[in-house]
Amino acid sequence: MELYNLKHPSQKVSFSEAVQLGLGKDRGLFFPSQIPQLDNTDALLELDFVARSKKVLGAWLAVELGQDTVDKLVDAAFTFDVPLVQVDDKRACLELFHGPTLAFKDFGARFMAQCVNLLAPEKGLTILTATSGDTGAAVADAFYGLDKVKVVVMYPQGKISELQEKMFTTLGGNIITLAVESDFDACQALVKQSFDDQDVREGLALNSANSINISRLLAQVCYYFEAAAQAKRLGHHELVVSVPSGNFGNLTAGLFAKAMGLNIKRFIAATNANDTVPRYLADGEWQPNATVATMSNAMDVSEPSNWPRSEAICEAMGWPLSLISGVAVTEAQTQETLVQLKQAGYQSEPHAAIAANALNGLAADEFGVFLGTAHPAKFKDVVDEVLELDLPLPPELDAVAGKPILSDSLAADFEQLKQYLFAKLA
Ligand SMILES: *Cc1c(COP(=O)(O)O)cnc(C)c1O
């Protein structure tokens, strides 16, 4: 598989290189030189999720990695269900939150972890990352127990919920967690300083595992096929897919699925008040505002870094941008939708509710799938308050609640971090 840098098209890399580099020159995103076409998507839809995902990912990766390797990566990464739950006549939710950390980020993180471990040098490498919550959990869990990779996750001490903290700080083994006595921005600054420092970067073979890694997006392509397969069994042969969007990786993956030949009629980019893309789709002006905090906090992104890839797919395929409708949903509408979904018998959470709300304008002959990106219990505070209930903890969360936090704490000081990392890892 060949990819090129969207900012410097002359920089061309293989999939293996793109996984290891993350970003290209000048922080440019890697983009495939060709999008593989699947000629018999109907037959593919008859397969089960894992068997089909091997074919979907094999279309991208088999030439470079070998189909056997692709099969092993898929078997190791995709170990949980992806149910499509019908909510009413017009809508169903594709539940992407049945993985170990109860969020759709498990798909991308687990597949990326398998790829990174496969491609790591013999002496191993270190993933260094900062988290304000969810991503850290998905990444830590995905790399836990892999033999060639150590993971260091930094997070702001006291600034995330105890349950969120316990989801990634209780693992131990190759997962090192550091509570930094400052805020999230300070954690990100420490990550950046570490990558800029040649001693640390080379001495510890640093690698980033962030959301722009191409391996994550390819993994996410697979569940769009699963949505179509299950919808077909319900009698729906063409879908409108509504994607609750923050950094726009999820929507990009959906566009790749359509480009490969999957029958998706159109997409809805559903956002909260951080509506840079809906405004851009309406008037062609790219004008990010300051980020605002909302109930759907995993979507509080005003400069979505994957958007250029979404646009590049449309361009490569000759699709008008009107294939994507932008819908920004207010906090009040999100709450109303949570209540309406509950009345229809479906308990949801704010991110999925935004995508469900954005399907309100469906035409009479359309069927909509909205993506359920997180388990409702992960947003228990909001869900309990809006729906006036007391959600029980699912077993995954309940299991960590009683375990001790294994983090070390550290001042937000690069020299101290450097000493710590060499003492612990070199
Ligand atoms: C990350 C996240 C999103 C946004 O996904 P993107 O791919 O960044 O657009 C939506 N919902 C939840 C729960 C998330 O964690």
Side-chain angles (χ1 to χ4, degrees):
M1 176 179 183
E2 183 187 88
L3 302 104
Y4 67 94
N5 178 338
L6 282 175
K7 275 195 190 154
H8 294 280
S10 62
Q11 185 188 10
K12 294 199 165 68
V13 295
S14 65
F15 173 75
S16 307
E17 288 165 328
V19 167
Q20 287 165 293
L21 290 169
L23 283 168
K25 211 167 88 185
D26 287 340
R27 304 188 61 74
L29 297 164
F30 289 121
F31 190 79
S33 300
Q34 270 188 339
I35 301 174
Q37 306 293 308
L38 297 167
D39 32 52
N40 199 345
T41 48
D42 270 351
L44 269 185
L45 296 187
E46 302 303 319
L47 300 177
D48 68 60
F49 179 59
V50 168
R52 182 188 325 108
S53 298
K54 290 172 179 172
K55 295 206 187 285
V56 169
L57 290 169
W60 297 90
L61 303 175
V63 171
E64 182 174 333
L65 302 178
Q67 184 66 46
D68 281 357
T69 300
V70 174
D71 291 355
K72 285 193 193 111
L73 296 171
V74 170
D75 280 327
F78 294 169
T79 52
F80 44 90
D81 290 340
V82 195
L84 182 74
V85 179
Q86 182 138 13
V87 171
D88 53 35
D89 297 349
K90 303 286 293 171
R91 295 179 298 185
C93 180
L94 186 71
E95 294 189 346
L96 302 172
F97 51 76
H98 297 282
T101 73
L102 306 176
F104 85 102
K105 295 206 166 64
D106 283 328
F107 285 94
R110 287 173 69 82
F111 188 70
M112 175 177 66
Q114 295 299 325
C115 291
V116 168
N117 195 55
L118 173 78
L119 301 168
E122 244 356 274
K123 66 178 175 60
L125 57 79
T126 305
I127 300 278
L128 182 67
T129 184
T131 186
S132 53
D134 278 0
T135 316
V139 168
D141 193 275
F143 281 97
Y144 178 61
L146 295 182
D147 54 345
K148 286 197 277 183
V149 184
K150 293 205 171 65
V151 178
V152 180
V153 186
M154 290 190 273
Y155 63 100
Q157 185 157 41
K159 301 249 161 58
I160 64 177
S161 78
E162 188 179 348
L163 209 55
Q164 257 183 339
E165 185 172 6
K166 289 206 166 181
M167 285 210 77
F168 64 97
T169 60
T170 57
L171 293 163
N174 61 331
I175 311 298
I176 295 159
T177 53
L178 274 176
V180 176
E181 293 156 4
S182 187
D183 56 15
F184 177 61
D185 291 323
C187 297
Q188 272 197 310
L190 287 171
V191 170
K192 193 164 177 302
Q193 275 179 295
S194 306
F195 276 90
D196 288 343
D197 184 300
Q198 195 178 357
D199 289 347
V200 177
R201 189 177 65 241
E202 290 174 6
L204 302 176
L206 282 195
N207 188 298
S208 74
N210 51 24
S211 63
I212 45 69
N213 199 291
I214 191 71
S215 59
R216 286 194 171 196
L217 295 185
L218 295 189
Q220 291 176 240
V221 171
C222 299
Y223 53 68
Y224 285 88
F225 283 83
E226 183 61 16
Q230 292 188 43
K232 191 178 166 198
R233 279 169 227 149
L234 299 173
H236 304 289
H237 296 273
E238 189 182 59
L239 303 179
V240 174
V241 182
S242 179
V243 185
S245 296
N247 221 5
F248 279 77
N250 212 350
L251 182 76
T252 301
L255 290 164
F256 275 135
K258 180 175 170 64
M260 292 179 82
L262 186 65
N263 195 8
I264 295 176
K265 183 180 174 193
R266 62 189 183 93
F267 290 91
I268 299 175
T271 71
N272 58 29
N274 297 287
D275 59 351
T276 308
V277 168
R279 284 185 292 111
Y280 173 72
L281 289 168
D283 64 14
E285 307 276 336
W286 186 261
Q287 275 170 341
N289 295 332
T291 307
V292 293
T294 71
M295 284 186 290
S296 48
N297 58 32
M299 291 158 56
D300 292 348
V301 180
S302 59
E303 299 196 51
S305 53
N306 267 307
W307 176 255
R309 281 175 168 149
S310 288
E311 235 181 305
I313 298 171
C314 292
E315 209 177 291
M317 300 303 292
W319 295 335
L321 270 187
S322 58
L323 174 71
I324 307 166
S325 327
V327 179
V329 177
T330 65
E331 295 288 270
Q333 289 172 318
T334 307
Q335 295 197 20
E336 273 165 36
T337 308
L338 277 173
V339 172
Q340 284 161 2
L341 289 170
K342 183 80 183 4
Q343 284 163 352
Y346 189 71
Q347 200 156 282
S348 193
E349 56 74 43
H351 304 77
I354 283 179
N357 178 284
L359 285 171
N360 283 341
L362 279 186
D365 62 344
E366 289 180 324
F367 186 75
V369 168
F370 61 99
L371 303 185
T373 45
H375 192 291
K378 283 199 101 165
F379 294 91
K380 180 174 160 57
D381 292 355
V382 180
V383 175
D384 280 358
E385 193 187 314
V386 175
L387 299 180
E388 293 169 8
L389 41 80
D390 182 13
L391 279 183
L393 286 187
E396 292 85 346
L397 287 176
D398 205 30
V400 295
K403 290 191 186 164
I405 291 173
L406 303 172
S407 304
D408 291 316
S409 62
L410 197 84
D413 176 83
F414 179 62
E415 286 309 317
Q416 286 186 42
L417 172 67
K418 194 168 166 176
Q419 273 180 18
Y420 176 90
L421 291 176
F422 275 103
K424 197 96 182 171
L425 296 167

